[in-house]
Amino acid sequence: MNNKKTWISLSLILLGSLFYFFANFQRIAIPGAVFDLLQHELKLSAPYITAFGAIFMYIYAFNQLIIGVMVEKFGGLRVIQTGAVILALGALLFPVSSNILIMYVSRALVGLGGSMFYLSLIREIREFVPEKDFGIAISIMLFIGYAGGIAANAPFVFAMKFMSWREILIVLAGIIALAAFIFYLLTRQVKIPPVNKNVKMRLLPFRLVLHKKHNRNLFSFACCNFGISYAIQAILGKKFLEDFCLMQTSDSAMILSIMAIIAAVFNIVNASVCKMLHNHRVAFLKNASIITFFCLLLICACLILDIRTKFIAFLFCILAGNASLTSILVPVLHLTNRKMVSGTAVSIMNFCFFMMVGILGTLSGFLLNLFEPVKMGNVMIYSNLSYLAVFGSFFLLSVFEMYKAMKLSNKY
């Protein structure tokens, strides 16, 4: 490969990683970082606000089941290009409109576009990077993506001191559109493989994966563990820290950014610790379910006793690290499934992850609205009872998670 083609291929991968960054930014920032602002400007109750996050998650989740086939059929570059255009359109529609229906459509577009980058990038990196550097290249790509989640809280809130949230999102949408145009120009300089018409969507791999009881137990555990933590991070954690723990907006945003950093780092930390413990992966997962259970028990106790402690922020960080188990879950799926369906098993797990976040986001909105909030200035403050309904449901889910974890087998 000559130097020009090498630099073009590298540039395409870096631009694809930039799109992945913005997809993660959108996933976390709305409604998490702007919950109060959206509620004040749009005059909407909690279920309508949490729906901004839930719609993204539902679309993102469903697309996980088909994106692998799309990548194999059309190639990673075509899928990234399509995703970038859809992401740019959705990212622009949201801040320029106050029509709730259009804003919901924009979130669906962002979820659809955002779902197209992860597997596409892995495919292109595999083609471009030598085997010995593949792991490092993937880790760099993931770090860039996770940085979007970090930027979606504290940096985003800080930027709002100088520009409105709408202006910031319009600027970011413009950057995405410009990057998409540059990506298109660069793809014209490389040879893209023809469409593989032999690749088709088949139901058999899904049936084989879901037929195994161990898989069903693992998916149930994993989606609860991830869903609880990510719903806190992406939808209601910042609002809760401000309403109940009486934290300033900048401080609560910083906590959520720290959660994103911990989530990024602990995929490596958890895998390393598990390896030090002789790769007893199932035992590690069982312990994770116990940690989730006790963290939520403590949060519920604080709500019941009206203990408005910032220690809850520490518990949030523990949950973020405890939910970063992909580096352990994926090897378990590969060990317990035949090679021909292991990729399908991973796609189903990703579907379960984000579907659960969407469900919990929708549920949280309705539970917050069970009790009348108190208006203080332009902000709606939700009561202990509202948050107890939310975190109580999370706690019950953690009991189910622990039950499913204990049913996992050590015998591969």
Side-chain angles (χ1 to χ4, degrees):
M1 185 180 291
N2 60 45
N3 287 336
K4 181 181 178 181
K5 288 185 177 179
T6 299
W7 280 108
I8 291 174
S9 296
L10 180 60
S11 298
L12 287 168
I13 290 173
L14 289 175
L15 281 172
S17 300
L18 180 65
F19 298 137
Y20 187 45
F21 168 95
F22 283 118
N24 279 284
F25 179 93
Q26 288 281 339
R27 190 162 65 192
I28 297 294
I30 301 168
V34 290
F35 194 108
D36 285 332
L37 293 173
L38 288 170
Q39 195 164 42
H40 171 63
E41 290 184 23
L42 302 175
K43 304 295 188 293
L44 297 173
S45 59
Y48 293 97
I49 301 300
T50 57
F52 288 128
I55 289 170
F56 178 105
M57 298 300 174
Y58 290 140
I59 301 298
Y60 194 98
F62 276 112
N63 220 30
Q64 296 307 302
L65 299 176
I66 62 172
I67 194 65
V69 176
M70 290 175 61
V71 171
E72 291 299 320
K73 187 178 183 70
F74 298 104
L77 294 180
R78 288 191 183 91
V79 175
I80 291 172
Q81 178 66 63
T82 303
V85 173
I86 296 172
L87 177 66
L89 177 60
L92 180 61
L93 273 179
F94 190 84
V96 300
S97 177
S98 292
N99 181 288
I100 188 67
L101 181 59
I102 293 176
M103 295 178 85
Y104 283 155
V105 170
S106 76
R107 291 302 291 165
L109 289 172
V110 170
L112 179 61
S115 67
M116 296 185 180
F117 304 123
Y118 176 70
L119 290 177
S120 300
L121 282 166
I122 290 177
R123 166 69 178 269
E124 292 306 312
I125 290 171
R126 188 195 307 143
E127 295 292 325
F128 174 72
V129 176
E131 182 64 31
K132 63 184 179 68
D133 299 323
F134 183 66
I136 295 174
I138 291 294
S139 66
I140 293 171
M141 181 269 287
L142 288 173
F143 178 81
I144 294 172
Y146 280 123
I150 297 167
N153 276 293
F156 185 29
V157 170
F158 178 77
M160 280 189 270
K161 294 181 180 180
F162 308 98
M163 301 170 66
S164 73
W165 67 270
R166 290 182 182 272
E167 292 171 335
I168 294 169
L169 292 182
I170 290 171
V171 170
L172 295 182
I175 294 172
I176 298 170
L178 177 60
F181 180 67
I182 296 172
F183 190 93
Y184 168 73
L185 294 178
L186 289 175
T187 56
R188 293 171 64 103
Q189 306 298 315
V190 297
K191 184 178 180 180
I192 301 178
V195 175
N196 188 347
K197 296 181 180 179
N198 294 323
V199 176
K200 301 182 185 300
M201 189 75 179
R202 297 186 304 128
L203 293 178
L204 180 60
F206 293 91
R207 289 170 55 190
L208 292 174
V209 171
L210 294 174
H211 180 73
K212 292 189 67 172
K213 189 174 182 180
H214 184 274
N215 286 339
R216 297 198 300 272
N217 287 331
L218 187 68
F219 294 150
S220 298
F221 154 78
C223 73
C224 295
N225 181 268
F226 178 87
I228 291 168
S229 174
Y230 214 84
I232 291 171
Q233 187 180 346
I235 297 174
L236 79 153
K238 179 176 177 291
K239 176 67 173 167
F240 172 71
L241 291 174
E242 293 166 9
D243 285 3
F244 180 72
C245 300
L246 307 179
M247 294 180 69
Q248 297 294 319
T249 296
S250 57
D251 293 336
S252 61
M254 181 60 69
I255 294 299
L256 272 294
S257 285
I258 291 171
M259 284 181 70
I261 295 171
I262 290 172
V265 171
F266 263 71
N267 257 312
I268 299 172
V269 171
N270 286 334
S272 301
V273 172
C274 189
K275 185 176 181 180
M276 289 170 57
L277 299 175
H278 308 290
N279 280 329
H280 293 307
R281 295 185 180 92
V282 170
F284 198 94
L285 299 179
K286 291 178 179 180
N287 289 333
S289 72
I290 295 171
I291 292 171
T292 303
F293 172 85
F294 279 107
C295 284
L296 290 167
L297 179 63
L298 288 173
I299 293 171
C300 289
C302 289
L303 283 163
I304 292 170
L305 300 174
D306 196 29
I307 302 174
R308 298 175 182 267
T309 173
K310 293 181 180 179
F311 177 70
I312 291 175
F314 176 69
L315 293 176
F316 279 5
C317 291
I318 292 176
L319 287 171
N322 191 56
S324 297
L325 298 173
T326 303
S327 56
I328 296 173
L329 291 166
V330 170
V332 171
L333 286 174
H334 279 275
L335 284 167
T336 54
N337 291 276
R338 285 181 285 176
K339 186 176 181 180
M340 63 174 289
V341 298
S342 59
T344 301
V346 174
S347 70
I348 293 174
M349 184 177 71
N350 286 339
F351 164 80
C352 292
F353 278 168
F354 294 103
M355 180 56 64
M356 179 57 75
V357 179
I359 291 170
L360 292 182
T362 301
L363 178 65
S364 297
F366 284 104
L367 292 177
L368 283 176
N369 230 34
L370 285 177
F371 302 94
E372 191 71 25
V374 176
K375 188 170 184 179
M376 296 185 64
N378 294 327
V379 178
M380 303 299 293
I381 306 296
Y382 291 92
S383 68
N384 290 23
L385 290 175
S386 293
Y387 284 115
L388 183 59
V390 173
F391 283 95
S393 67
F394 288 5
F395 173 73
L396 292 176
L397 194 61
S398 76
V399 175
F400 175 74
E401 171 193 330
M402 189 161 54
Y403 168 72
K404 286 297 183 179
M406 297 308 160
K407 293 177 76 67
L408 295 174
S409 173
N410 287 298
K411 296 178 181 180
Y412 296 148

